[in-house]
């Protein structure tokens, strides 16, 4: 049962990933037409910082999980 759930989640991730990136790109394009360049660049930097923070948090979570598994 668990392997079926994992396979379903993998498929959902592969489908939702490109959709999410597409909507982010579309939204950024709409914003770019409405605001000055410096605001658009600030939004882009904030988005990159957010994704780096999420990646760091996931990495730390994985590291803790591996350390607990070694005990």
């Amino acid at each position: 049962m668990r392997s079926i759930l994992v396979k379903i989640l993998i498929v959902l991730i592969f489908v939702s990933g490109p959709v999410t990136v597409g909507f982010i790109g579309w939204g950024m394009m709409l914003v770019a037409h409405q605001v000055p360049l410096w605001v658009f660049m600030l939004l882009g930097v904030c988005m990159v910082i957010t994704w780096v923070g999420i990646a760091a948090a996931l990495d730390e979570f994985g590291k803790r999980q591996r350390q607990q598994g070694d005990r």
Side-chain angles (χ1 to χ4, degrees), residues 51-68:
W51 286 113
V52 169
I54 290 171
L58 289 174
D59 184 51
E60 184 66 28
F61 176 75
K63 194 182 305 181
R64 287 185 186 186
Q65 291 293 97
R66 286 190 299 274
Q67 287 175 350
Q68 288 179 354

Side-chain angles (χ1 to χ4, degrees), residues 41-62:
M41 291 175 64
L42 181 65
L43 291 173
V45 169
C46 290
M47 187 181 305
V48 169
I49 291 171
T50 300
W51 286 113
V52 169
I54 290 171
L58 289 174
D59 184 51
E60 184 66 28
F61 176 75

Side-chain angles (χ1 to χ4, degrees), residues 4-52:
I4 294 172
L5 181 61
V6 169
K7 289 178 183 177
I8 290 171
L9 288 174
I10 289 171
V11 169
L12 284 174
I13 289 169
F14 278 119
V15 169
S16 67
V19 171
T20 301
V21 170
F23 273 106
I24 289 172
W26 184 36
M28 292 297 281
M29 183 188 67
L30 293 174
V31 168
H33 292 293
Q34 299 296 321
V35 297
L37 180 61
W38 68 271
V39 174
F40 180 74
M41 291 175 64
L42 181 65
L43 291 173
V45 169
C46 290
M47 187 181 305
V48 169
I49 291 171
T50 300
W51 286 113
V52 169

